[in-house]
Amino acid sequence: MPKVTLINPDDSRIDLDVEVGDSIMRAATAAGIEGIVGDCGGGMSCATCHVVVLDDAYLAKTPEMSLTEDQMLDFTAMEREPNSRLSCQLVMSEEMDGMVVRVADPQL
Amino acid sequence: MSQAVMESDRNQAPVLDIDPYDTEVLRSPYAFQERLREAGPIALIPKYDVYAVGRYEECATVLKDHEAFTAKGGIGIQDIRQPGDFRVPNRMLENDPPGHTEIRSVLNRYLSPIAIRKMKEKFEERAAVLADELVEKGEVDGVADIAETYILDVFPDAVGIDLPRPNILAIGEMRFNQSGPQNELYEQAMQKAQPYLDWFEHSCQREGVRPESIAHALFEAEDRGEFPEAGLASNMTRSLVGGGADSTMAGVGHSLCKLAENPGQYDLIHADPKKAGLAFEEALRLEPSFHVSYRTTYGEVELSGVKLRPDTKVGVYFGAANRDPRKFENPDDFIIERRSAGTHLGFGIGAHICIGQMIARAEAAAILGALARRVKRIELAGEPVYKPINQMRMLQNLPLRLVAA
C-alpha cells in the first residue's frame, strides 16, 4: 500500500498507509492523527484538513485543485502557502507513494 | 400519458405503487424506504408520475451529475419551470453550474470557516445558559424546549433576521409542505401560514437586518457589486432562513431522540463531550432532516442501465440512501463512532451540498456538548411523536427526562 509521511507541528513524523482511492484526510482521521480534523468529512466546507506538500514534484502528481478547494484554502486557520492543499482532496494514487506533507497548525 | 410510455416504464424502471407522502409513511418511512431500495436502482411512482431513487449509489449519482439531472426544475415535486407554481425559486439551489457556482462562491466568502469560527464562542455561551435551565427543570420536551429554543436563540443573530417562533414554524411548515404534492398537509400548512405571509415577505429585506450577521454581509456584498445579478442578497437570505432554521431544529431533535434511545452511545459523549458532534452526524444519517429532494432528467438519460424519460422529476430519498445496507454495515444501528460525516447524505452531496453545514454542526455540537457536560443520562419520558411534513423528517414531541450528573 502506498505511504505518505506527515510532519506534525511538533516535528514528529508519522508514516501513514493510504489505500489507493482513499483520501489522506480519511486515512489520517481513521488512524486518530490529531492534527487533521476533517470536521465536514470531505465536503470542502470546513478547511480543517489543511496540509502543505513539501516537494513540488509530488505536488504535480496530486489530483488537480478544484475551484472550491482553492477558495476554501483562503479560509484556513493557518495562512495558506504556495503548496497548500486540503488533504480530503488528496486522493491517493501509486504515484503519490512516498509523498511528505506538513500538517498545518492551527486547523481550527 | 401514452400507452407506449407506460410500456417502456414497465420494461425499464419498476413501478412502485406507493405514496411517499402518505401521512403514515411520513410518520414512519422505514418500510417505504426499504421497498424503494429493493424495487431496483430507480422506480416509477405512478401516483405522481415521477421517478424515485433510494439506493446510496444512485442517490449520490443523481445529486452529483447535474448535466443529466438538472436542479432547474426545482427541488420539490412540481416542475417550477411550468406555469402554476407560485413558489419563489431559490436562485442558487434551483440552478446548475456554472450560474449556480458564481453565486455560491460569493456566499462561500460570508459563510466561510473563518466567519463560522467567530460564531462558535457565542453558540457555546448561549448553550451553557440554556443547558443550566434545562437541567434545573429535569422534565423537558426535546423539540420545543431544546431544539427550537436553542436554534431560535442563536440562529437569528447569526443569519441576521428576527425569527419569532410562531412565525418561523408556520412559514417552515408551509415551505416544506409546498414542495410536495397538493395534499391535505399542503392545504393545511398554507392556511396556517396565512397570518405570517406578510411578515415573511418583508423579513428578508435589508431593513431590520441585524449588524455583524451573514445577511448584513450579503447586503454589503451586493452594494459592492459582488453578486452577478440584482436582488440576490435578499433571495439568498431567504434561503438561509429556510435552510438553516427548520432543518437544524430537526437535526438537534433527532440527535436527542437517538441519544435517549441508545444510552450506551450517550455515555460516550458524556465521557467525552467533544464527541457530541459525532452524535449529530450519526443522527443525521439515520434521520436526515429532508425526506426527499428532486432533480429533473435533462433529456433522455440512463441511470444504472435504466433508460429514463426526459423532463421527468426524480425524487432522491435521503433516509433510504443513508440506511442502504449496500453502503452501511448494520445500517439501522446508531453508532456514533461510525464517523459517517462526509459519507452520509444528510447534508446532500455534489454542487448543492448544504452551504450552512458548518453552522449547523457548530450549533448542534454546542448544545449537545453543553448537555453532555451536565447530564448523566437522557431518558425518554414518553413516546417520541413525528410531525408529518411532505419534504421533511422532523419530530413534533420528544418528552425527555434529564438526569443531572
Side-chain angles (χ1 to χ4, degrees):
Chain A
M1 202 184 295
K3 270 188 183 23
V4 287
T5 300
L6 285 87
I7 304 180
N8 286 314
D10 66 0
D11 286 330
S12 64
R13 297 165 83 96
I14 301 171
D15 290 328
L16 184 69
D17 291 323
V18 188
E19 251 177 85
V20 171
D22 201 6
S23 74
I24 295 178
M25 181 280 286
R26 280 219 174 265
T29 50
I33 295 172
E34 285 211 353
I36 303 287
V37 181
D39 268 337
C40 78
M44 289 191 278
S45 300
C46 68
T48 62
C49 63
H50 181 193
V51 298
V52 181
V53 178
L54 290 193
D55 187 335
D56 289 352
Y58 270 110
L59 190 66
K61 295 175 185 172
T62 60
E64 205 183 323
M65 189 186 293
S66 68
L67 193 73
T68 309
E69 183 187 349
D70 191 12
Q71 190 177 28
M72 288 310 285
L73 281 166
D74 289 335
F75 306 129
T76 49
M78 182 190 93
E79 203 167 322
R80 77 185 285 178
E81 296 180 13
N83 287 6
S84 279
R85 293 296 301 262
L86 295 179
S87 60
C88 66
Q89 302 305 304
L90 296 177
V91 175
M92 204 63 186
S93 61
E94 289 292 350
E95 282 189 314
M96 285 157 67
D97 182 34
M99 185 164 85
V100 182
V101 302
R102 183 157 47 78
V103 176
D105 181 40
Q107 294 283 10
L108 294 172
Chain B
M1 195 191 333
S2 75
Q3 192 59 35
V5 170
M6 274 312 285
E7 284 301 326
S8 106
D9 280 322
R10 237 185 312 251
N11 295 335
Q12 301 279 340
V15 173
L16 183 63
D17 194 7
I18 192 168
D19 181 359
Y21 299 100
D22 181 277
T23 307
E24 289 318 305
V25 170
L26 294 172
R27 284 213 175 94
S28 178
Y30 316 117
F32 159 73
Q33 291 169 351
E34 189 175 354
R35 280 185 65 189
L36 173 59
R37 279 192 305 264
E38 299 319 315
I42 183 162
L44 184 85
I45 308 276
K47 177 161 187 185
Y48 303 110
D49 206 21
V50 296
Y51 292 116
V53 285
R55 292 183 187 172
Y56 185 90
E57 271 314 308
E58 281 74 16
C59 286
T61 301
V62 171
L63 295 174
K64 286 197 284 196
D65 185 353
H66 53 81
E67 280 171 16
F69 302 98
T70 176
K72 286 185 178 167
I75 51 107
I77 196 168
Q78 312 89 343
D79 191 332
I80 57 170
R81 299 165 303 180
Q82 304 297 326
D85 189 54
F86 44 88
R87 223 156 39 78
V88 178
N90 177 323
R91 285 153 68 181
M92 177 171 70
L93 180 57
E94 299 181 314
N95 197 349
D96 297 325
H100 149 271
T101 319
E102 218 182 321
I103 301 171
R104 183 156 175 137
S105 60
V106 179
L107 236 67
N108 267 339
R109 279 175 222 152
Y110 305 102
L111 289 166
S112 76
I114 295 177
I116 290 158
R117 254 172 252 141
K118 286 186 198 147
M119 298 174 189
K120 268 190 183 161
E121 209 175 310
K122 207 177 245 176
F123 288 170
E124 278 163 15
E125 267 173 37
R126 308 274 269 274
V129 173
L130 177 61
D132 283 337
E133 291 171 16
L134 292 164
V135 174
E136 189 73 28
K137 278 192 203 158
E139 298 242 353
V140 298
D141 187 85
V143 176
D145 300 328
I146 307 181
E148 289 175 6
T149 298
Y150 181 66
I151 298 303
L152 295 179
D153 179 30
V154 296
F155 190 60
D157 264 349
V159 73
I161 305 293
D162 292 329
L163 302 173
R165 190 183 306 217
N167 305 31
I168 194 66
L169 292 184
I171 290 293
E173 207 176 317
M174 173 191 83
R175 296 176 92 186
F176 298 113
N177 277 308
Q178 215 181 8
S179 44
Q182 297 192 8
N183 53 13
E184 212 180 307
L185 288 171
Y186 177 112
E187 301 298 346
Q188 281 172 358
M190 293 296 290
Q191 233 164 42
K192 243 163 101 178
Q194 284 305 319
Y196 306 108
L197 289 180
D198 200 47
W199 166 81
F200 187 52
E201 191 54 41
H202 294 99
S203 66
C204 297
Q205 304 301 330
R206 182 183 301 250
E207 297 73 38
V209 159
R210 298 188 189 183
E212 289 178 52
S213 66
I214 298 166
H216 186 77
L218 294 181
F219 282 107
E220 285 193 335
E222 186 157 79
D223 291 341
R224 288 191 297 269
E226 291 181 30
F227 281 111
E229 310 156 30
L232 274 167
S234 171
N235 187 266
M236 288 299 102
T237 298
R238 192 183 166 95
S239 85
L240 289 176
V241 167
D246 304 84
S247 59
T248 318
M249 292 189 281
V252 170
H254 294 312
S255 305
L256 292 165
C257 184
K258 299 297 167 195
L259 287 166
E261 288 171 344
N262 296 272
Q265 297 294 305
Y266 182 77
D267 290 345
L268 298 176
I269 75 163
H270 179 55
D272 183 1
K274 284 201 300 295
K275 290 189 173 164
L278 300 181
F280 178 60
E281 243 21 272
E282 179 65 350
L284 282 190
R285 184 186 68 80
L286 283 173
E287 309 289 356
S289 308
F290 293 100
H291 178 50
V292 58
S293 183
Y294 283 83
R295 296 293 185 267
T296 308
T297 53
Y298 193 82
E300 274 181 34
V301 297
E302 238 185 69
L303 181 70
S304 302
V306 181
K307 220 196 233 171
L308 307 180
R309 282 191 255 153
D311 290 316
T312 306
K313 286 269 166 173
V314 183
V316 176
Y317 288 85
F318 300 104
N322 281 352
R323 287 171 182 255
D324 185 351
R326 295 163 190 80
K327 181 71 182 177
F328 300 99
E329 224 173 284
N330 301 321
D332 297 329
D333 295 349
F334 178 73
I335 306 169
I336 70 167
E337 289 288 1
R338 203 189 280 273
R339 292 177 189 264
S340 58
T343 305
H344 72 72
L345 301 183
F347 287 115
I349 196 169
H352 297 287
I353 191 166
C354 176
I355 195 164
Q357 58 181 280
M358 294 313 294
I359 301 180
R361 286 192 173 103
E363 289 168 327
I367 186 64
L368 297 173
L371 288 169
R373 279 180 204 97
R374 292 164 177 78
V375 174
K376 186 166 59 183
R377 241 181 9 257
I378 298 182
E379 294 169 357
L380 283 178
E383 271 300 295
V385 179
Y386 287 87
K387 181 176 188 172
I389 296 187
N390 282 329
Q391 204 197 345
M392 289 195 82
R393 174 84 179 137
M394 164 169 233
L395 283 153
Q396 178 145 30
N397 298 110
L398 179 63
L400 296 176
R401 192 175 305 111
L402 308 177
V403 182

